[in-house]
PDB file of all heavy atoms in Angstrom:
ATOM      1  N   ARG A 191      42.453  42.532  36.359  1.00  0.00           N
ATOM      2  CA  ARG A 191      41.333  41.674  36.833  1.00  0.00           C
ATOM      3  C   ARG A 191      40.119  41.691  35.678  1.00  0.00           C
ATOM      4  O   ARG A 191      39.682  40.638  35.299  1.00  0.00           O
ATOM      5  CB  ARG A 191      40.813  42.281  38.084  1.00  0.00           C
ATOM      6  CG  ARG A 191      39.558  41.424  38.670  1.00  0.00           C
ATOM      7  CD  ARG A 191      38.964  42.187  40.008  1.00  0.00           C
ATOM      8  NE  ARG A 191      38.566  43.517  39.727  1.00  0.00           N
ATOM      9  CZ  ARG A 191      37.248  43.848  39.166  1.00  0.00           C
ATOM     10  NH1 ARG A 191      36.487  42.818  38.791  1.00  0.00           N
ATOM     11  NH2 ARG A 191      36.931  45.041  38.930  1.00  0.00           N
ATOM     12  N   GLN A 195      39.374  38.567  33.343  1.00  0.00           N
ATOM     13  CA  GLN A 195      38.032  37.807  33.453  1.00  0.00           C
ATOM     14  C   GLN A 195      37.234  37.893  32.146  1.00  0.00           C
ATOM     15  O   GLN A 195      36.579  36.922  31.808  1.00  0.00           O
ATOM     16  CB  GLN A 195      37.161  38.563  34.545  1.00  0.00           C
ATOM     17  CG  GLN A 195      37.678  38.398  35.948  1.00  0.00           C
ATOM     18  CD  GLN A 195      36.896  39.019  36.980  1.00  0.00           C
ATOM     19  OE1 GLN A 195      35.851  39.716  36.777  1.00  0.00           O
ATOM     20  NE2 GLN A 195      37.217  38.933  38.328  1.00  0.00           N
ATOM     21  N   HIS A 196      37.485  38.920  31.448  1.00  0.00           N
ATOM     22  CA  HIS A 196      36.779  39.143  30.193  1.00  0.00           C
ATOM     23  C   HIS A 196      37.328  38.076  29.234  1.00  0.00           C
ATOM     24  O   HIS A 196      36.626  37.382  28.547  1.00  0.00           O
ATOM     25  CB  HIS A 196      36.931  40.572  29.741  1.00  0.00           C
ATOM     26  CG  HIS A 196      36.081  40.925  28.593  1.00  0.00           C
ATOM     27  ND1 HIS A 196      35.882  42.302  28.254  1.00  0.00           N
ATOM     28  CD2 HIS A 196      35.404  40.228  27.737  1.00  0.00           C
ATOM     29  CE1 HIS A 196      34.986  42.356  27.206  1.00  0.00           C
ATOM     30  NE2 HIS A 196      34.598  41.076  26.866  1.00  0.00           N
ATOM     31  N   GLU A 200      35.508  34.727  27.336  1.00  0.00           N
ATOM     32  CA  GLU A 200      35.406  34.503  25.963  1.00  0.00           C
ATOM     33  C   GLU A 200      35.851  33.001  25.582  1.00  0.00           C
ATOM     34  O   GLU A 200      35.210  32.326  24.772  1.00  0.00           O
ATOM     35  CB  GLU A 200      36.412  35.365  25.209  1.00  0.00           C
ATOM     36  CG  GLU A 200      36.137  36.907  25.253  1.00  0.00           C
ATOM     37  CD  GLU A 200      34.950  37.372  24.363  1.00  0.00           C
ATOM     38  OE1 GLU A 200      34.406  36.503  23.642  1.00  0.00           O
ATOM     39  OE2 GLU A 200      34.583  38.669  24.477  1.00  0.00           O
ATOM     40  N   GLU A 230      35.252  33.553  19.187  1.00  0.00           N
ATOM     41  CA  GLU A 230      35.397  33.826  20.578  1.00  0.00           C
ATOM     42  C   GLU A 230      36.775  33.510  21.112  1.00  0.00           C
ATOM     43  O   GLU A 230      37.327  34.194  21.951  1.00  0.00           O
ATOM     44  CB  GLU A 230      34.345  32.950  21.371  1.00  0.00           C
ATOM     45  CG  GLU A 230      32.851  33.044  20.922  1.00  0.00           C
ATOM     46  CD  GLU A 230      32.326  34.399  21.051  1.00  0.00           C
ATOM     47  OE1 GLU A 230      32.942  35.405  21.501  1.00  0.00           O
ATOM     48  OE2 GLU A 230      31.110  34.638  20.718  1.00  0.00           O
ATOM     49  N   LYS A 261      37.629  34.832  38.010  1.00  0.00           N
ATOM     50  CA  LYS A 261      36.320  34.532  37.653  1.00  0.00           C
ATOM     51  C   LYS A 261      36.186  34.592  36.115  1.00  0.00           C
ATOM     52  O   LYS A 261      37.102  34.952  35.369  1.00  0.00           O
ATOM     53  CB  LYS A 261      35.296  35.611  38.191  1.00  0.00           C
ATOM     54  CG  LYS A 261      35.286  35.533  39.662  1.00  0.00           C
ATOM     55  CD  LYS A 261      34.237  36.504  40.129  1.00  0.00           C
ATOM     56  CE  LYS A 261      33.786  36.402  41.577  1.00  0.00           C
ATOM     57  NZ  LYS A 261      34.845  36.986  42.567  1.00  0.00           N
ATOM     58  N   TYR A 262      35.015  34.105  35.591  1.00  0.00           N
ATOM     59  CA  TYR A 262      34.658  34.302  34.159  1.00  0.00           C
ATOM     60  C   TYR A 262      33.084  34.621  34.257  1.00  0.00           C
ATOM     61  O   TYR A 262      32.448  34.388  35.383  1.00  0.00           O
ATOM     62  CB  TYR A 262      34.923  33.231  33.315  1.00  0.00           C
ATOM     63  CG  TYR A 262      34.376  31.820  33.789  1.00  0.00           C
ATOM     64  CD1 TYR A 262      33.140  31.416  33.433  1.00  0.00           C
ATOM     65  CD2 TYR A 262      35.149  31.031  34.624  1.00  0.00           C
ATOM     66  CE1 TYR A 262      32.670  30.231  33.878  1.00  0.00           C
ATOM     67  CE2 TYR A 262      34.593  29.846  35.032  1.00  0.00           C
ATOM     68  CZ  TYR A 262      33.290  29.415  34.702  1.00  0.00           C
ATOM     69  OH  TYR A 262      32.907  28.311  35.214  1.00  0.00           O
ATOM     70  N   SER A 264      29.357  34.723  34.743  1.00  0.00           N
ATOM     71  CA  SER A 264      28.437  33.903  35.348  1.00  0.00           C
ATOM     72  C   SER A 264      27.515  33.032  34.243  1.00  0.00           C
ATOM     73  O   SER A 264      27.191  31.835  34.463  1.00  0.00           O
ATOM     74  CB  SER A 264      27.441  34.641  36.207  1.00  0.00           C
ATOM     75  OG  SER A 264      26.969  35.764  35.549  1.00  0.00           O
ATOM     76  N   PHE A 266      28.086  31.632  31.657  1.00  0.00           N
ATOM     77  CA  PHE A 266      28.523  30.363  30.980  1.00  0.00           C
ATOM     78  C   PHE A 266      28.481  29.117  31.922  1.00  0.00           C
ATOM     79  O   PHE A 266      28.944  28.046  31.652  1.00  0.00           O
ATOM     80  CB  PHE A 266      30.001  30.618  30.467  1.00  0.00           C
ATOM     81  CG  PHE A 266      29.911  31.687  29.430  1.00  0.00           C
ATOM     82  CD1 PHE A 266      30.656  32.881  29.618  1.00  0.00           C
ATOM     83  CD2 PHE A 266      29.177  31.578  28.278  1.00  0.00           C
ATOM     84  CE1 PHE A 266      30.620  33.860  28.740  1.00  0.00           C
ATOM     85  CE2 PHE A 266      28.939  32.604  27.355  1.00  0.00           C
ATOM     86  CZ  PHE A 266      29.747  33.858  27.564  1.00  0.00           C
ATOM     87  N   ASP A 284      25.284  37.419  23.505  1.00  0.00           N
ATOM     88  CA  ASP A 284      26.115  38.292  22.811  1.00  0.00           C
ATOM     89  C   ASP A 284      25.490  39.647  22.702  1.00  0.00           C
ATOM     90  O   ASP A 284      26.202  40.617  22.651  1.00  0.00           O
ATOM     91  CB  ASP A 284      26.343  37.752  21.307  1.00  0.00           C
ATOM     92  CG  ASP A 284      27.365  36.617  21.269  1.00  0.00           C
ATOM     93  OD1 ASP A 284      26.782  35.406  21.487  1.00  0.00           O
ATOM     94  OD2 ASP A 284      28.401  36.753  21.136  1.00  0.00           O
ATOM     95  N   ASN A 290      27.515  45.944  26.741  1.00  0.00           N
ATOM     96  CA  ASN A 290      28.544  46.361  27.712  1.00  0.00           C
ATOM     97  C   ASN A 290      29.862  46.725  26.943  1.00  0.00           C
ATOM     98  O   ASN A 290      30.546  47.650  27.237  1.00  0.00           O
ATOM     99  CB  ASN A 290      28.769  44.988  28.445  1.00  0.00           C
ATOM    100  CG  ASN A 290      30.017  45.081  29.354  1.00  0.00           C
ATOM    101  OD1 ASN A 290      31.090  45.133  28.900  1.00  0.00           O
ATOM    102  ND2 ASN A 290      29.778  45.060  30.760  1.00  0.00           N
ATOM    103  N   MET A 352      24.435  39.152  33.687  1.00  0.00           N
ATOM    104  CA  MET A 352      25.757  39.374  33.119  1.00  0.00           C
ATOM    105  C   MET A 352      26.348  40.649  33.421  1.00  0.00           C
ATOM    106  O   MET A 352      27.523  41.000  33.441  1.00  0.00           O
ATOM    107  CB  MET A 352      25.665  39.182  31.608  1.00  0.00           C
ATOM    108  CG  MET A 352      25.708  37.789  31.151  1.00  0.00           C
ATOM    109  SD  MET A 352      25.510  37.833  29.273  1.00  0.00           S
ATOM    110  CE  MET A 352      27.058  38.282  28.852  1.00  0.00           C
ATOM    111  N   GLY A 354      26.373  42.266  36.096  1.00  0.00           N
ATOM    112  CA  GLY A 354      27.044  42.363  37.383  1.00  0.00           C
ATOM    113  C   GLY A 354      25.872  42.708  38.433  1.00  0.00           C
ATOM    114  O   GLY A 354      24.791  43.088  38.156  1.00  0.00           O
ATOM    115  N   SER A 360      27.700  46.794  43.881  1.00  0.00           N
ATOM    116  CA  SER A 360      28.900  46.654  43.038  1.00  0.00           C
ATOM    117  C   SER A 360      30.214  47.210  43.731  1.00  0.00           C
ATOM    118  O   SER A 360      30.243  48.399  44.052  1.00  0.00           O
ATOM    119  CB  SER A 360      28.744  47.442  41.741  1.00  0.00           C
ATOM    120  OG  SER A 360      29.938  47.718  41.101  1.00  0.00           O
ATOM    121  N   THR A 361      31.153  46.354  44.013  1.00  0.00           N
ATOM    122  CA  THR A 361      32.416  46.784  44.826  1.00  0.00           C
ATOM    123  C   THR A 361      33.217  47.705  44.084  1.00  0.00           C
ATOM    124  O   THR A 361      33.841  48.594  44.602  1.00  0.00           O
ATOM    125  CB  THR A 361      33.171  45.619  45.318  1.00  0.00           C
ATOM    126  OG1 THR A 361      33.081  44.471  44.413  1.00  0.00           O
ATOM    127  CG2 THR A 361      32.570  45.028  46.644  1.00  0.00           C
ATOM    128  N   HIS A 362      33.364  47.442  42.780  1.00  0.00           N
ATOM    129  CA  HIS A 362      34.396  48.169  42.051  1.00  0.00           C
ATOM    130  C   HIS A 362      33.924  49.422  41.179  1.00  0.00           C
ATOM    131  O   HIS A 362      34.681  50.165  40.770  1.00  0.00           O
ATOM    132  CB  HIS A 362      35.167  47.224  41.017  1.00  0.00           C
ATOM    133  CG  HIS A 362      35.655  45.978  41.562  1.00  0.00           C
ATOM    134  ND1 HIS A 362      36.752  46.018  42.434  1.00  0.00           N
ATOM    135  CD2 HIS A 362      35.199  44.697  41.664  1.00  0.00           C
ATOM    136  CE1 HIS A 362      37.029  44.831  42.846  1.00  0.00           C
ATOM    137  NE2 HIS A 362      36.089  43.996  42.405  1.00  0.00           N
ATOM    138  N   LYS A 372      35.330  51.809  33.537  1.00  0.00           N
ATOM    139  CA  LYS A 372      33.851  51.553  33.105  1.00  0.00           C
ATOM    140  C   LYS A 372      33.228  52.851  32.847  1.00  0.00           C
ATOM    141  O   LYS A 372      33.443  53.791  33.673  1.00  0.00           O
ATOM    142  CB  LYS A 372      33.091  50.908  34.354  1.00  0.00           C
ATOM    143  CG  LYS A 372      33.413  49.468  34.574  1.00  0.00           C
ATOM    144  CD  LYS A 372      32.936  48.980  35.918  1.00  0.00           C
ATOM    145  CE  LYS A 372      31.528  48.445  35.940  1.00  0.00           C
ATOM    146  NZ  LYS A 372      31.216  47.604  37.217  1.00  0.00           N
ATOM    147  N   ASN A 376      26.584  49.321  36.092  1.00  0.00           N
ATOM    148  CA  ASN A 376      25.941  47.990  35.754  1.00  0.00           C
ATOM    149  C   ASN A 376      24.510  48.118  35.465  1.00  0.00           C
ATOM    150  O   ASN A 376      23.858  47.580  34.606  1.00  0.00           O
ATOM    151  CB  ASN A 376      26.069  47.089  37.018  1.00  0.00           C
ATOM    152  CG  ASN A 376      27.586  46.811  37.345  1.00  0.00           C
ATOM    153  OD1 ASN A 376      28.495  47.228  36.661  1.00  0.00           O
ATOM    154  ND2 ASN A 376      27.838  46.046  38.365  1.00  0.00           N
ATOM    155  N   ILE A 426      28.753  32.842  41.002  1.00  0.00           N
ATOM    156  CA  ILE A 426      30.125  33.329  40.887  1.00  0.00           C
ATOM    157  C   ILE A 426      31.004  32.787  41.978  1.00  0.00           C
ATOM    158  O   ILE A 426      32.251  32.880  41.770  1.00  0.00           O
ATOM    159  CB  ILE A 426      30.132  34.879  40.764  1.00  0.00           C
ATOM    160  CG1 ILE A 426      29.799  35.608  42.104  1.00  0.00           C
ATOM    161  CG2 ILE A 426      29.299  35.389  39.527  1.00  0.00           C
ATOM    162  CD1 ILE A 426      30.033  37.088  42.013  1.00  0.00           C
TER     163      ILE A 426
HETATM  164  N1  LIG B 528      30.011  37.057  36.140  1.00  0.00           N
HETATM  165  O1  LIG B 528      32.109  45.404  41.444  1.00  0.00           O
HETATM  166  P1  LIG B 528      31.490  44.621  40.416  1.00  0.00           P
HETATM  167  C1  LIG B 528      30.705  37.463  26.311  1.00  0.00           C
HETATM  168  C2  LIG B 528      31.965  39.834  39.943  1.00  0.00           C
HETATM  169  S1  LIG B 528      31.855  38.443  27.212  1.00  0.00           S
HETATM  170  C3  LIG B 528      30.987  36.704  37.096  1.00  0.00           C
HETATM  171  O2  LIG B 528      30.300  45.221  39.661  1.00  0.00           O
HETATM  172  P2  LIG B 528      33.041  45.023  37.973  1.00  0.00           P
HETATM  173  C4  LIG B 528      31.088  37.207  24.868  1.00  0.00           C
HETATM  174  C5  LIG B 528      33.118  40.880  39.783  1.00  0.00           C
HETATM  175  O3  LIG B 528      34.127  40.380  39.044  1.00  0.00           O
HETATM  176  C6  LIG B 528      31.217  38.382  28.779  1.00  0.00           C
HETATM  177  N2  LIG B 528      31.392  37.702  38.005  1.00  0.00           N
HETATM  178  O4  LIG B 528      32.544  44.190  39.237  1.00  0.00           O
HETATM  179  C7  LIG B 528      30.653  35.816  24.526  1.00  0.00           C
HETATM  180  C8  LIG B 528      33.539  41.269  41.178  1.00  0.00           C
HETATM  181  O5  LIG B 528      34.248  40.138  41.776  1.00  0.00           O
HETATM  182  P3  LIG B 528      35.834  40.215  42.003  1.00  0.00           P
HETATM  183  C9  LIG B 528      32.143  38.932  29.775  1.00  0.00           C
HETATM  184  C10 LIG B 528      30.795  38.758  37.974  1.00  0.00           C
HETATM  185  O6  LIG B 528      34.206  44.223  37.387  1.00  0.00           O
HETATM  186  C11 LIG B 528      29.321  35.559  24.236  1.00  0.00           C
HETATM  187  C12 LIG B 528      32.081  41.146  41.911  1.00  0.00           C
HETATM  188  O7  LIG B 528      31.234  40.347  41.080  1.00  0.00           O
HETATM  189  N3  LIG B 528      32.163  40.435  29.646  1.00  0.00           N
HETATM  190  O8  LIG B 528      29.844  37.139  26.806  1.00  0.00           O
HETATM  191  C13 LIG B 528      29.832  39.209  37.079  1.00  0.00           C
HETATM  192  O9  LIG B 528      33.272  46.411  38.224  1.00  0.00           O
HETATM  193  C14 LIG B 528      28.989  34.294  23.868  1.00  0.00           C
HETATM  194  C15 LIG B 528      31.575  42.594  42.025  1.00  0.00           C
HETATM  195  O10 LIG B 528      31.041  43.133  40.912  1.00  0.00           O
HETATM  196  C16 LIG B 528      33.043  41.069  30.336  1.00  0.00           C
HETATM  197  O11 LIG B 528      33.793  40.588  31.084  1.00  0.00           O
HETATM  198  C17 LIG B 528      29.355  38.329  36.173  1.00  0.00           C
HETATM  199  N4  LIG B 528      28.418  38.436  35.315  1.00  0.00           N
HETATM  200  O12 LIG B 528      31.746  44.942  36.895  1.00  0.00           O
HETATM  201  C18 LIG B 528      31.571  34.824  24.459  1.00  0.00           C
HETATM  202  C19 LIG B 528      32.976  42.631  30.091  1.00  0.00           C
HETATM  203  N5  LIG B 528      29.542  40.489  37.337  1.00  0.00           N
HETATM  204  O13 LIG B 528      36.611  40.424  40.714  1.00  0.00           O
HETATM  205  C20 LIG B 528      31.221  33.536  24.158  1.00  0.00           C
HETATM  206  C21 LIG B 528      34.043  43.283  30.877  1.00  0.00           C
HETATM  207  C22 LIG B 528      30.267  40.914  38.415  1.00  0.00           C
HETATM  208  O14 LIG B 528      35.976  41.468  42.904  1.00  0.00           O
HETATM  209  C23 LIG B 528      29.889  33.260  23.725  1.00  0.00           C
HETATM  210  N6  LIG B 528      33.714  43.317  32.344  1.00  0.00           N
HETATM  211  N7  LIG B 528      31.070  39.911  38.854  1.00  0.00           N
HETATM  212  O15 LIG B 528      36.102  38.951  42.676  1.00  0.00           O
HETATM  213  C24 LIG B 528      32.917  44.325  32.886  1.00  0.00           C
HETATM  214  O16 LIG B 528      32.399  45.143  32.195  1.00  0.00           O
HETATM  215  C25 LIG B 528      32.716  44.341  34.349  1.00  0.00           C
HETATM  216  O17 LIG B 528      33.828  43.445  34.916  1.00  0.00           O
HETATM  217  C26 LIG B 528      31.388  43.760  34.872  1.00  0.00           C
HETATM  218  C27 LIG B 528      31.390  43.747  36.337  1.00  0.00           C
HETATM  219  C28 LIG B 528      30.260  44.705  34.384  1.00  0.00           C
HETATM  220  C29 LIG B 528      31.078  42.334  34.266  1.00  0.00           C
END
Side-chain angles (χ1 to χ4, degrees):
R191 178 186 63 79
Q195 288 180 2
H196 195 164
E200 300 283 355
E230 307 300 359
K261 297 186 169 74
Y262 57 88
S264 48
F266 302 117
D284 287 86
N290 176 291
M352 285 175 70
S360 164
T361 38
H362 302 291
K372 286 166 85 166
N376 299 359
I426 69 173

